[in-house]
Amino acid sequence: MAGDEGTPQTPARRVTRSSSATPLKPSLVTPNLLPPPTHPPPQESLSTEPMSADDLLALLPGRKSQILEFLRVIGPPNSPMLPALLYGGPSTGKTITILHVFRLLRRRFVYASCRSCYSPRILFETVLNQLLFHRRSRENGYSSAKRCERASDFVNLLRDALTRAITGPRDEKKKSCSKEGHGDGIGEMIYLVFDNVELIRSWDKGSEVLPLLFRMADVLKTPAVGLIYISRAMPDAYYSMTGSVEPISIYFPDYTVDDLHYIFMRNQVNQKLYSSFLSIVLKPFSRVTKRVDELATAFDPLFMKYCEPLTDLSLVPDEAMKRKLFDHLQPHLTASLNEIFTVTPWSLVEVAKERTSKRGHIRKLCGKELFSELDIHMSTSAKYLLISAFLASRNPATLDAALFDSTGGSNNRKRKRKSTHTSLDQQDDMAEEILMKGPGTFPLERLLAIFQCITSVMDCSVEEDQFEDGVLTEGSNVWLMSDALLQLSTLCNANFICKSGNFQLEGSTRYRSMIDEDMALKVVWRGVSTFHCRSTYIEDRFPICYHGFGSLICNNWTNGSQLLKLEK
Amino acid sequence: MSPSPISMPPSSLVADDTTGDSVLQPFFVLHKALPQKCERKAAGSTRTRRKIDLPPSSPKSPEKSDAVASSVGPNDTNYERLRLEAFNMTWSKIDTTIKEILTRVHRSLFAEVHQWALESFLALKSGEPRNAFEIQSPYPLLDDVICKQIPTAMILTKNAEFVDDMLTFQELGEHLKSKGCHIANLSAMDFCAKDGIAGCLRSLLRQLVMDAPDLADMSVLSSWYCEPENYDHPVIIVIDDMERCCGAILADFIRLLSEWVMKLPVIFIMGVATTDTAKKLLPSDALQHLQSSKFTLGSPLERMNALVEAVLVKPSFGFNIGHNVAVFMRNYFLGHDGTITSFVRALKLACVKHFSMEPLSFLGIDILDENQVILYLLLYSWFSYMASVMHYLTLCLNMLLIFHLLKEALIRGKDCTNSRDDLEEGLSDLRKLLKAWSSVILCLYEVGKHNKIQLLDIFCEATDPTLSSLDPSNHKLERSFNGQNLAEGRELPLSSLIKLLDLWSIHTEELCEVHGEVRELQSVVKSSNNGNNLKERQIDCHRMSMSLCAGRTSLSVNGKAAALLDYMVRKFLMPIECLCFHEIICFRNVDILQSALIGNPRRNIQIDLMKSTTYMKCSCCCSTENVLSPTMHDTSVMYNLAQEHGDLISLQDWYHSFKSTVLSTNKLKCPLQHSPMSKKVKSSPSESEASIQARFCRAVIELQIAGLIRMPSKKRPDFVQRVAFGL
């Protein structure tokens, strides 16, 4: 399978020149559907036009010292090298540097990213496939060249493949492309590049694979192999596992602001416009993150916004224009700084919907109400359950008896009202503490108890209303209690409530509500208030519970019922 | 349910439909018991002792229907077969209609998503054209894309329950597949923490690559994509319930695919309930690889409106539901489940029950067809003649029976409202009235849309027999939704009034009396509107008075429209249950539906344990109803004994009472047959302490498995706890 000698034209040339040189199978090159090679791919172009070190340095701004050091480590062609570990934060140009360097030097390498190769077997087979020039296709059932699951097999197979790869292609090359004239140098060394090595640590068999990789040089004992590891983690993370030759480490620091500026300015059509844009955004954003990828995702939509007022994008902005554009961008800037992920509506219809809903929101803001529509459909019992979960999560369990017990009604409340300042302060402290701690967990029984308390009161009020209101019939009160457990699983699925602990027959599961106050208020406002609830009940119970929130719920609740009465 | 022969075939029908649905279904078994009102109120004060109060008996209605059935004698299998056929026909019609409706609701969204997918695909391959060599290379491409983003459609389902949307996503996948995209449907099952990332990759490969190897490697996918017939089509991954996925695995999956997205045009379609769930679920470094766009599915209420309009309001199936059932189903939908799936299921159950219980229901399909009815009438006269001649022809007798039933229904109909003696006229009246009724409801709905009133509410309102609009002194009408609609109609602006009238004229096309008036009103409105436009062009000084004038005319037009609607409502909005022959098409028995829909398994288990004798029907213990006898099943004895305890049951006491029950009745019974001496000899070897203990343990475990008790905790090792949710 390795090295298809039958195609001496283009594929064979690729073998000699391009770095990881896997010859194309004829069946894959011929089909018309594939884009015809009208102009050579970048790899080819780079290798045909001789690329100087200066070009390389220009291509990778801010990485000069790292490139030079790496070049020093791998040394001249045909010279053995010590293993190298390139490390640094994410998105600092480690992988791209390696790839560009190898392309410049036209040396042969094998690349395996431990992200794509997420298990030892895939990692081993990927490496072997590349060494043996094996290509998966339908003809071979998309299988790999050698089946290799165990580390010991891998070492043997790798040794075989390496000897074949080092000796084999050289003869071939001498046959086919001796005209290029540098046949003897290239192909001697094969470099194995392992990317994202830090991920191996989280694998099941990571503790076996990692030492193997780092001890590879000792195990193989072939001077013609160069090992290069790329990692986000510090070299310290691997010391305990090696016990062999310590790799030479090269650190890739974060980019400086100037580097970032240079990186973003590349390939821009309108340099002036973009540089004026960068002068606004780069400073504040680089304080938050210096990762190029994060910045790029943040800048793209912002630049679109920035250009919105412009009709002609090739325009060179003057001072007045810059100011105008800045004013236009200003409101979006802070929002974008706080937001990591935005979902933009795609179609015009959606955009229009968004606008109307926003308008509605603003109108409500003027009228002091802040609750936009609840944009999710839930059954009424699910809503009650969600509120119960919220209350259970935010209130200490000790308060439950006082809040929901049938005896702790209005008397209780009067006593509370008369309470002294100190006790009020204590209450405040407690509420604050609960707020700081975040939502607590609660057992299923407690949730159901609260749920039952809330819904039983709803039932009473519904019954009262039934005499006047023909719409609600005797069936309605039953529904709220009917299948709380089913609804609970729905809510868990939708991530409104999360389940912790393992579920057993004994039922030691605890739950936690995941919704924030806004959401809870929306549920109360949009969902529950449509059922007429007795305001006295709410006044009795909610002002005490969870303080601020309780009173908010209560206010809105009563407002809601009053509004409903007014509507009638 | 009483095991009458009638109820047998529908149960098999229900069973066969479940296989057609997807694996995840809303199931009705786990519903909780309906608590009695008094019981719940008492529960607060006396919480420690919870006893089940047994229901008086099974619901009355089946008995009644059985009585009716037996009086007519439809035990004959012929009737059963007829009704079964009628049910099959009706339901298949309803089913296809529902499916059509749901796809129609989503058609525009599907087209939109496809358009988006095409655009993102073009954007993805906008860079350098790739060749197979590059696509299959294991290292990242060296181009200037800094952050590789996967185009992602976030489809908002607007529904906490995802059952309804699973079908939608499947259809979306099929739609896109028909347009030439590669589709892989992944679900939350594939993203579970146990299998890790291998699980989702494997199922992705399995769906795309025909002869995929067992090793789920991305390079397999890239080689597959390089095959000429696969090349140059986007690979769309549909995840229908993104919230339920394991966040870490999904994030890994996204990161992995982002390494390949430049080579393989991968596009995500994800179903989410709210937009910020993605933020909660995924870490930021996975999020930044998603380039997301938002789409919105039709809300369940919208779908429900379309469904009600097509199935319940338009009289084309010979099956409808009465007021009680409608209210029940509305409450079921709004308060309880909130899914279209379960609504449809409830409808189907109602349909099954209707066809199995109503002896004349098989006429329902034909009743809306005029020729069929006439045929029946001809046959009736002929058969009655024949029957008088040949008394023993069973066929004739059967047919006669049918028409006897028809006649009976007619006579029953006499009680409710104005009915004719004549069969033919009665049926054709029913037909006409149904049509008029549906068009009036649709007109009302058009008005109600402005106030966001749902069609289901209007439907419930309109079917209420107490609201019979024929009674002019009925004040209830004013209070109802219809009244609200009327008021609404008076306040509509002119432009929407024109639209409204256009819609009305479509709806009332078959209702000739009203149609003319609607047309008239339309012309009046149009002329006044034109007038307005003309007037607006006039000079300023006239504008004030003119606009006032225009306001007045539009007001009067609004008034006219409202009056027309009022007239329509009063004349035609006769609830189905007030029409004669409504029994043939209208299902009213809400109790049956309720008990069929909410099978209270928990409660039933407990009741069955309490009353095991009614099932066993053995001679030894049926005589004394409430006394425990040792011949009863151990678990049943244990559960009966547990009723004496509170939430916590002392194992010691429980065991002793169990033991004494098992042994005591031996004492009661044995002396009758044997001497005390022989009893002692006999009982001691058979009922040794060990065997009683073993029986006890076994019964406790059975109760635990049934979910009725919880095993002793570490705190109280000799107490078991009763698990009783609300019962």
Side-chain angles (χ1 to χ4, degrees):
Chain A
M1 195 52 61
D4 282 81
E5 301 89 27
T7 52
Q9 295 90 7
T10 38
R13 280 170 64 197
R14 249 181 229 143
V15 172
T16 58
R17 277 186 272 109
S18 69
S19 24
S20 91
T22 34
L24 287 178
K25 290 214 114 193
S27 64
L28 284 170
V29 188
T30 40
N32 299 331
L33 258 175
L34 297 184
T38 44
H39 52 97
Q43 215 173 2
E44 299 270 314
S45 65
L46 281 177
S47 52
T48 43
E49 304 157 13
M51 191 175 160
S52 68
D54 290 340
D55 290 343
L56 183 71
L57 293 181
L59 206 61
L60 303 164
R63 295 287 92 128
K64 186 178 178 184
S65 64
Q66 285 80 23
I67 292 170
L68 293 179
E69 191 169 357
F70 182 63
L71 286 175
R72 197 175 53 75
V73 169
I74 59 173
N78 292 336
S79 64
M81 67 172 277
L82 285 170
L85 172 69
L86 280 67
Y87 71 98
S91 182
T92 45
K94 300 179 291 291
T95 308
I96 203 164
T97 304
I98 297 269
L99 293 178
H100 274 303
V101 166
F102 279 121
R103 192 171 289 182
L104 169 76
L105 299 178
R106 294 184 214 162
R107 295 195 191 173
R108 187 165 165 211
F109 69 96
V110 167
Y111 175 92
S113 159
C114 296
R115 190 180 298 287
S116 287
C117 311
Y118 55 87
S119 74
R121 184 177 164 194
I122 296 177
L123 180 68
F124 297 158
E125 291 185 2
T126 306
V127 171
L128 291 176
N129 283 348
Q130 288 180 55
L131 277 175
L132 298 172
F133 303 119
H134 176 78
R135 176 157 293 216
R136 293 169 191 269
S137 68
R138 183 180 295 161
E139 284 76 40
N140 56 29
Y142 301 108
S143 61
S144 43
K146 292 268 162 56
R147 185 188 169 91
C148 171
E149 277 177 75
R150 282 181 304 164
S152 53
D153 292 348
F154 176 60
V155 173
N156 293 332
L157 288 170
L158 185 65
R159 202 174 277 141
D160 285 354
L162 277 174
T163 46
R164 221 194 297 175
I166 292 163
T167 54
R170 206 200 301 173
D171 307 337
E172 244 173 72
K173 183 180 14 153
K174 279 187 176 159
K175 259 191 277 168
S176 62
C177 347
S178 50
K179 57 173 178 175
E180 296 215 357
H182 48 262
D184 52 348
I186 305 175
E188 283 292 315
M189 281 291 285
I190 291 180
Y191 299 91
L192 304 185
V193 181
F194 296 99
D195 203 347
N196 298 322
V197 183
E198 78 280 355
L199 290 175
I200 300 180
R201 290 179 298 173
S202 59
W203 290 1
D204 284 344
K205 291 179 181 166
S207 54
E208 296 170 28
V209 177
L210 210 49
L212 172 77
L213 284 191
F214 278 93
R215 221 178 289 142
M216 194 78 85
D218 296 347
V219 174
L220 288 174
K221 294 203 178 70
T222 322
V225 175
L227 290 161
I228 295 152
Y229 313 101
I230 304 175
S231 157
R232 287 185 188 183
M234 307 284 284
D236 306 358
Y238 310 105
Y239 280 166
S240 60
M241 306 180 192
T242 57
S244 69
V245 187
E246 192 177 302
I248 300 167
S249 55
I250 303 172
Y251 177 55
F252 281 66
D254 282 349
Y255 287 108
T256 61
V257 178
D258 293 337
D259 296 337
L260 288 174
H261 190 269
Y262 188 85
I263 290 171
F264 283 110
M265 286 306 290
R266 288 179 315 167
N267 303 330
Q268 289 302 331
V269 185
N270 189 344
Q271 295 269 340
K272 287 268 166 55
L273 185 67
Y274 203 81
S275 99
S276 74
F277 167 70
L278 276 186
S279 67
I280 301 170
V281 291
L282 194 55
K283 266 262 167 59
F285 274 85
S286 64
R287 255 179 246 134
V288 181
T289 176
K290 291 205 169 131
R291 284 177 58 170
V292 184
D293 50 351
E294 283 180 350
L295 287 175
T297 44
F299 285 173
D300 283 347
L302 275 180
F303 187 61
M304 300 265 275
K305 274 266 160 25
Y306 188 72
C307 296
E308 250 174 23
L310 294 177
T311 45
D312 180 19
L313 285 182
S314 56
L315 190 87
V316 175
D318 53 355
E319 275 308 309
M321 178 60 87
K322 274 183 191 169
R323 201 164 301 130
K324 198 180 135 201
L325 291 176
F326 175 70
D327 288 342
H328 178 72
L329 191 66
Q330 179 79 32
H332 305 288
L333 215 53
T334 38
S336 167
L337 268 172
N338 291 327
E339 201 66 59
I340 49 164
F341 181 64
T342 49
V343 183
T344 48
W346 181 73
S347 68
L348 291 174
V349 187
E350 294 273 343
V351 174
K353 263 189 213 164
E354 194 104 313
R355 274 201 195 123
T356 50
S357 71
K358 261 187 194 158
R359 211 178 296 142
H361 190 70
I362 289 162
R363 204 180 297 149
K364 271 174 191 161
L365 271 178
C366 303
K368 159 188 155 184
E369 294 295 346
L370 215 139
F371 312 111
S372 54
E373 288 267 335
L374 181 66
D375 60 348
I376 186 161
H377 174 90
M378 262 188 275
S379 62
T380 318
S381 59
K383 282 173 185 162
Y384 279 120
L385 205 58
L386 197 57
I387 291 168
S388 324
F390 183 78
L391 290 177
S393 227
R394 298 297 172 107
N395 284 323
T398 45
L399 268 181
D400 278 359
L403 296 177
F404 298 108
D405 198 24
S406 53
T407 54
S410 52
N411 302 337
N412 209 348
R413 165 187 158 218
K414 271 170 197 159
R415 222 179 298 137
K416 291 270 174 185
R417 284 279 157 89
K418 279 176 202 158
S419 55
T420 55
H421 278 289
T422 50
S423 69
L424 275 179
D425 285 347
Q426 275 175 3
Q427 264 186 20
D428 277 341
D429 289 346
M430 205 174 70
E432 210 164 284
E433 199 188 316
I434 291 168
L435 199 64
M436 296 299 287
K437 275 182 185 165
T441 61
F442 49 87
L444 181 65
E445 282 83 358
R446 192 173 156 223
L447 175 71
L448 289 179
I450 295 179
F451 178 68
Q452 210 161 4
C453 284
I454 295 180
T455 47
S456 66
V457 174
M458 296 308 136
D459 291 349
C460 295
S461 57
V462 167
E463 277 159 32
E464 279 167 18
D465 286 345
Q466 265 170 28
F467 296 106
E468 327 147 56
D469 201 292
V471 185
L472 293 162
T473 54
E474 55 281 353
S476 58
N477 53 357
V478 174
W479 296 109
L480 299 178
M481 272 310 291
S482 56
D483 57 353
L485 294 182
L486 206 58
Q487 299 295 339
L488 187 64
S489 75
T490 299
L491 290 175
C492 286
N493 283 340
N495 266 345
F496 288 128
I497 297 176
C498 77
K499 209 161 33 169
S500 60
N502 48 344
F503 187 78
Q504 293 158 350
L505 205 57
E506 279 75 34
S508 58
T509 324
R510 291 179 77 83
Y511 295 84
R512 184 200 297 272
S513 112
M514 300 285 282
I515 56 169
D516 51 357
E517 263 177 53
D518 288 342
M519 176 79 179
L521 286 174
K522 272 184 204 170
V523 172
V524 170
W525 180 248
R526 294 301 313 167
V528 180
S529 62
T530 50
F531 267 75
H532 321 262
C533 48
R534 263 196 318 205
S535 53
T536 50
Y537 168 80
I538 311 296
E539 277 170 11
D540 278 354
R541 274 139 215 230
F542 281 98
I544 353 170
C545 79
Y546 185 46
H547 237 54
F549 172 69
S551 55
L552 262 178
I553 273 202
C554 145
N555 288 340
N556 297 309
W557 217 323
T558 44
N559 283 348
S561 49
Q562 277 163 10
L563 277 179
L564 279 167
K565 273 169 198 161
L566 282 180
E567 273 173 22
K568 283 189 161 186
Chain B
M1 277 295 316
S2 56
S4 68
I6 310 171
S7 65
M8 292 305 281
S11 64
S12 64
L13 283 169
V14 176
D16 80 26
D17 115 284
T18 51
T19 54
D21 288 358
S22 44
V23 192
L24 282 163
Q25 297 174 352
F27 43 91
F28 302 102
V29 234
L30 273 184
H31 294 185
K32 210 195 51 96
L34 314 173
Q36 308 288 322
K37 254 177 237 169
C38 51
E39 181 196 75
R40 199 178 47 245
K41 274 172 190 165
S45 53
T46 59
R47 262 205 121 75
T48 44
R49 289 214 168 180
R50 298 199 199 100
K51 282 197 183 184
I52 310 170
D53 48 344
L54 296 172
S57 67
S58 53
K60 289 163 204 159
S61 24
E63 286 167 18
K64 206 167 66 187
S65 71
D66 273 354
V68 171
S70 62
S71 73
V72 194
N75 299 333
D76 198 341
T77 46
N78 276 338
Y79 288 105
E80 224 169 80
R81 200 170 40 79
L82 269 178
R83 285 199 296 260
L84 188 60
E85 277 168 13
F87 167 76
N88 282 336
M89 267 175 77
T90 313
W91 185 252
S92 67
K93 264 199 252 170
I94 292 179
D95 205 33
T96 47
T97 315
I98 289 172
K99 276 189 186 132
E100 268 169 32
I101 290 292
L102 293 182
T103 45
R104 201 190 301 157
V105 167
H106 295 130
R107 199 172 290 156
S108 66
L109 178 83
F110 286 0
E112 219 171 76
V113 171
H114 177 235
Q115 185 62 30
W116 166 84
L118 278 186
E119 278 181 25
S120 0
F121 176 56
L122 288 179
L124 273 185
K125 61 171 200 175
S126 64
E128 303 270 317
R130 324 246 171 254
N131 57 19
F133 174 74
E134 278 180 294
I135 290 170
Q136 283 181 287
S137 66
Y139 47 85
L141 294 175
L142 289 183
D143 40 20
D144 272 324
V145 181
I146 295 173
C147 185
K148 292 146 200 159
Q149 288 191 311
I150 308 171
T152 308
M154 294 276 177
I155 300 192
L156 285 180
T157 56
K158 294 207 165 192
N159 195 348
E161 183 65 64
F162 70 96
V163 181
D164 282 347
D165 304 312
M166 288 182 5
L167 193 68
T168 314
F169 279 100
Q170 257 174 26
E171 277 171 3
L172 177 62
E174 275 158 25
H175 177 84
L176 292 175
K177 202 170 203 167
S178 69
K179 305 275 178 187
C181 309
H182 301 296
I183 295 289
N185 276 304
L186 297 187
S187 76
M189 306 289 178
D190 302 318
F191 292 94
C192 60
K194 201 181 83 191
D195 292 343
I197 193 164
C200 48
L201 271 181
R202 192 172 300 134
S203 97
L204 175 69
L205 281 180
R206 204 169 286 157
Q207 290 185 46
L208 291 176
V209 187
M210 278 305 130
D211 41 359
D214 55 338
L215 192 64
D217 188 356
M218 276 306 284
S219 63
V220 174
L221 198 64
S222 66
S223 332
W224 165 83
Y225 183 69
C226 289
E227 303 283 344
E229 69 268 24
N230 300 327
Y231 189 76
D232 214 18
H233 296 285
V235 178
I236 297 180
I237 299 173
V238 183
I239 303 173
D240 52 8
D241 45 352
M242 190 253 219
E243 271 104 348
R244 297 170 73 234
C245 299
C246 170
I249 304 299
L250 185 60
D252 269 351
F253 187 61
I254 290 169
R255 284 188 211 117
L256 194 156
L257 284 183
S258 72
E259 282 192 351
W260 291 85
V261 71
M262 283 293 135
K263 308 176 201 167
L264 265 172
V266 181
I267 294 174
F268 273 128
I269 293 179
M270 295 184 182
V272 290
T274 50
T275 38
D276 42 335
T277 41
K279 256 179 266 179
K280 283 183 194 163
L281 199 67
L282 297 172
S284 71
D285 63 334
L287 279 179
Q288 68 173 350
H289 289 301
L290 298 181
Q291 183 187 29
S292 59
S293 312
K294 186 164 74 179
F295 297 89
T296 316
L297 279 182
S299 76
L301 285 174
E302 277 169 38
R303 273 181 262 174
M304 185 55 114
N305 283 337
L307 194 145
V308 170
E309 179 180 338
V311 176
L312 294 178
V313 174
K314 293 216 171 123
S316 47
F317 301 112
F319 169 72
N320 214 323
I321 53 176
H323 176 65
N324 282 342
V325 178
V327 169
F328 170 85
M329 279 169 59
R330 190 188 66 149
N331 287 337
Y332 189 70
F333 174 69
L334 289 180
H336 159 95
D337 198 330
T339 59
I340 302 283
T341 317
S342 69
F343 185 84
V344 170
R345 201 161 287 240
L347 196 67
K348 182 167 187 182
L349 260 176
C351 195
V352 166
K353 292 290 168 195
H354 172 70
F355 278 96
S356 67
M357 281 164 41
E358 178 59 44
L360 270 182
S361 53
F362 61 87
L363 283 177
I365 339 165
D366 308 325
I367 206 161
L368 298 160
D369 193 345
E370 256 172 82
N371 303 327
Q372 288 277 352
V373 173
I374 291 168
L375 186 72
Y376 270 115
L377 292 175
L378 279 175
L379 278 173
Y380 173 55
S381 50
W382 186 72
F383 275 116
S384 54
Y385 169 72
M386 288 295 281
S388 63
V389 180
M390 305 193 274
H391 289 280
Y392 299 105
L393 251 178
T394 46
L395 177 73
C396 289
L397 267 181
N398 276 340
M399 287 311 281
L400 199 60
L401 211 55
I402 295 171
F403 296 109
H404 172 71
L405 286 171
L406 264 178
K407 261 275 201 277
E408 225 175 48
L410 191 68
I411 291 158
R412 256 185 282 160
K414 247 182 187 175
D415 303 335
C416 37
T417 41
N418 53 343
S419 65
R420 314 278 162 80
D421 261 346
D422 199 350
L423 199 64
E424 185 184 6
E425 261 184 58
L427 285 179
S428 66
D429 263 8
L430 177 64
R431 204 162 47 233
K432 241 187 257 166
L433 281 171
L434 279 179
K435 273 181 188 155
W437 183 80
S438 71
S439 39
V440 173
I441 284 198
L442 288 179
C443 288
L444 274 173
Y445 176 48
E446 294 302 338
V447 186
K449 262 183 193 168
H450 294 280
N451 208 15
K452 286 190 179 163
I453 294 176
Q454 307 300 330
L455 184 57
L456 190 57
D457 295 340
I458 295 178
F459 180 79
C460 285
E461 194 74 15
T463 47
D464 191 354
T466 58
L467 270 180
S468 176
S469 52
L470 292 173
D471 182 7
S473 63
N474 198 337
H475 294 295
K476 256 192 156 179
L477 189 69
E478 300 298 326
R479 286 199 58 241
S480 60
F481 279 120
N482 300 340
Q484 268 186 31
N485 277 350
L486 286 180
E488 192 67 24
R490 291 204 179 91
E491 290 158 12
L492 275 182
L494 202 60
S495 57
S496 45
L497 189 68
I498 293 172
K499 270 183 212 157
L500 182 72
L501 285 175
D502 288 344
L503 289 167
W504 277 12
S505 70
I506 296 169
H507 290 316
T508 56
E509 240 162 23
E510 292 187 8
L511 205 65
C512 32
E513 332 157 34
V514 183
H515 191 60
E517 288 189 40
V518 171
R519 272 290 154 84
E520 207 173 287
L521 206 57
Q522 240 178 327
S523 62
V524 170
V525 171
K526 273 191 185 138
S527 69
S528 76
N529 195 28
N530 290 339
N532 266 356
N533 290 344
L534 275 178
K535 275 167 204 157
E536 270 169 29
R537 284 187 217 119
Q538 286 179 352
I539 38 172
D540 283 324
C541 54
H542 284 247
R543 186 165 279 172
M544 281 292 278
S545 59
M546 288 305 164
S547 64
L548 265 179
C549 192
R552 210 170 293 146
T553 53
S554 77
L555 214 156
S556 66
V557 171
N558 274 353
K560 269 184 198 166
L564 179 62
L565 188 63
D566 192 43
Y567 165 74
M568 281 197 284
V569 166
R570 283 181 191 283
K571 178 122 195 276
F572 297 107
L573 201 64
M574 203 194 295
I576 295 186
E577 286 167 74
C578 298
L579 309 177
C580 44
F581 292 127
H582 72 267
E583 294 94 338
I584 299 175
I585 57 162
C586 179
F587 178 73
R588 293 189 302 169
N589 199 334
V590 71
D591 294 334
I592 291 265
L593 182 64
Q594 197 167 344
S595 67
L597 210 52
I598 310 166
N600 287 319
R602 268 190 106 75
R603 187 181 175 80
N604 280 340
I605 288 174
Q606 300 184 41
I607 289 169
D608 292 349
L609 279 174
M610 299 283 281
K611 293 187 110 187
S612 62
T613 47
T614 52
Y615 291 93
M616 305 302 257
K617 288 191 177 131
C618 53
S619 58
C620 48
C621 35
C622 61
S623 56
T624 52
E625 221 173 75
N626 287 324
V627 179
L628 298 175
S629 74
T631 52
M632 278 165 69
H633 193 265
D634 287 346
T635 317
S636 178
V637 173
M638 293 275 286
Y639 194 71
N640 273 301
L641 289 172
Q643 298 297 306
E644 306 300 323
H645 296 265
D647 277 355
L648 287 176
I649 306 169
S650 158
L651 280 172
Q652 190 80 9
D653 295 350
W654 205 11
Y655 173 68
H656 279 298
S657 49
F658 174 71
K659 190 177 160 190
S660 62
T661 322
V662 172
L663 294 178
S664 71
T665 18
N666 272 355
K667 275 174 205 157
L668 276 177
K669 276 189 178 174
C670 293
L672 298 175
Q673 295 149 0
H674 309 283
S675 68
M677 212 32 212
S678 64
K679 182 209 102 191
K680 259 185 193 168
V681 173
K682 239 195 145 186
S683 69
S684 56
S686 67
E687 301 289 350
S688 70
E689 187 80 15
S691 80
I692 293 177
Q693 275 180 13
R695 282 168 66 183
F696 179 79
C697 288
R698 186 194 160 129
V700 168
I701 284 170
E702 274 180 11
L703 285 176
Q704 187 205 4
I705 288 170
L708 299 174
I709 58 166
R710 183 181 297 171
M711 279 290 140
S713 60
K714 274 179 194 164
K715 271 187 211 163
R716 286 175 174 161
D718 46 356
F719 281 89
V720 289
Q721 196 176 1
R722 278 174 68 188
V723 185
F725 291 127
L727 229 177

